[in-house]
Amino acid sequence: DRTHIRFFTKNTIISMFNDCGFEVKSISPRIFNFPEQDKYLSLIKEISEKLQIDKSTAVVNSAAFQYTVHAIPA
């Protein structure tokens, strides 16, 4: 996508805010339904179970299209 020059994970968003002198009070995923999304999320759930990773967290983090952040100066 030519309009986006950076992509972030939840953890890298939090790190960026912290590095810039902010304290993240909350971060919430925005999840939209995309074609065939459920097929891929099912695979992520299976893989996370085999890796002993919390499957609910893995699915939410994988399904997040955007995050909204509430942060204040530290």
Side-chain angles (χ1 to χ4, degrees):
D1 183 339
R2 294 185 318 198
T3 64
H4 293 84
I5 59 172
R6 301 271 193 284
F7 292 91
F8 297 91
T9 65
K10 181 180 178 181
N11 289 339
T12 59
I13 292 169
I14 293 168
S15 292
M16 178 187 64
F17 273 86
N18 291 337
D19 292 347
C20 291
F22 289 87
E23 178 187 348
V24 174
K25 291 299 204 176
S26 67
I27 183 166
S28 303
R30 294 190 66 211
I31 297 174
F32 303 94
N33 290 321
F34 291 103
E36 299 187 41
Q37 175 177 325
D38 291 337
K39 176 174 71 173
Y40 296 106
L41 294 178
S42 295
L43 290 171
I44 289 168
K45 190 184 293 185
E46 286 179 38
I47 292 167
S48 64
E49 288 174 343
K50 290 178 181 178
L51 295 173
Q52 298 179 345
I53 297 170
D54 180 63
K55 63 184 176 184
S56 298
T57 301
V59 167
V60 169
N61 288 341
S62 298
F65 183 69
Q66 297 172 325
Y67 286 95
T68 56
V69 179
H70 173 219
I72 60 171

